[in-house]
Amino acid sequence: MTTLLPEGFEELETWAGGWALPTQNTRWDKRLSSTREDLIAFYNAVLPYLERILEHVDQYPLGELPERSVRLFDMALMHAEIAPNVELYNGDPNVPHSFEEKRFIAVHGNNRH
């Protein structure tokens, strides 16, 4: 079996394919296209591993993460992307009572990380 994540993170493998996204724009699109239930499920799955994920990626010099570790880092970034929606808005993919997000374009949103 081919694994997408480093050893020790096997429990998160099922999330890696769809949630380890490399750019701000792809993470943003995923958040907006996900259901409340999907966001909460991903958030709850990753949260217990977050400290271990950050300790793992911290072992490597900046820009030198192995491919599997990059995916793990991307999952941590995705977690950060959705955390306000889960923690403040009960998993609502949008920000309630706010401007339409699609009106704004991230200038560097297609750059990796």
Side-chain angles (χ1 to χ4, degrees):
M1 178 178 133
T2 303
T3 59
L4 297 174
L5 300 175
E7 187 176 320
F9 295 96
E10 293 81 8
E11 300 89 350
L12 298 176
E13 279 289 331
T14 57
W15 299 99
W19 294 82
L21 302 171
T23 68
Q24 177 185 352
N25 284 350
T26 56
R27 291 188 294 272
W28 181 76
D29 286 339
K30 178 70 172 178
R31 175 176 58 86
L32 290 176
S33 67
S34 295
T35 66
R36 177 184 312 263
E37 294 77 20
D38 290 340
L39 293 180
I40 292 170
F42 176 76
Y43 176 91
N44 287 334
V46 173
L47 185 61
Y49 296 91
L50 205 50
E51 188 173 335
R52 281 184 44 215
I53 291 170
L54 298 177
E55 288 172 359
H56 173 81
V57 299
D58 235 6
Q59 298 176 70
Y60 299 94
L62 189 61
E64 295 183 21
L65 281 175
E67 184 177 344
R68 288 190 210 172
S69 299
V70 167
R71 281 193 207 96
L72 191 62
F73 183 61
D74 289 341
M75 288 177 69
L77 292 175
M78 187 71 218
H79 191 272
E81 178 81 27
I82 69 164
N85 296 80
V86 173
E87 295 170 1
L88 301 174
Y89 308 119
N90 194 31
D92 190 335
N94 299 294
V95 177
H97 313 295
S98 184
F99 56 84
E100 162 113 30
E101 289 180 76
K102 293 198 180 245
R103 291 185 353 208
F104 297 87
I105 299 170
V107 175
H108 300 288
N110 287 322
N111 295 342
R112 189 157 200 38
H113 303 113

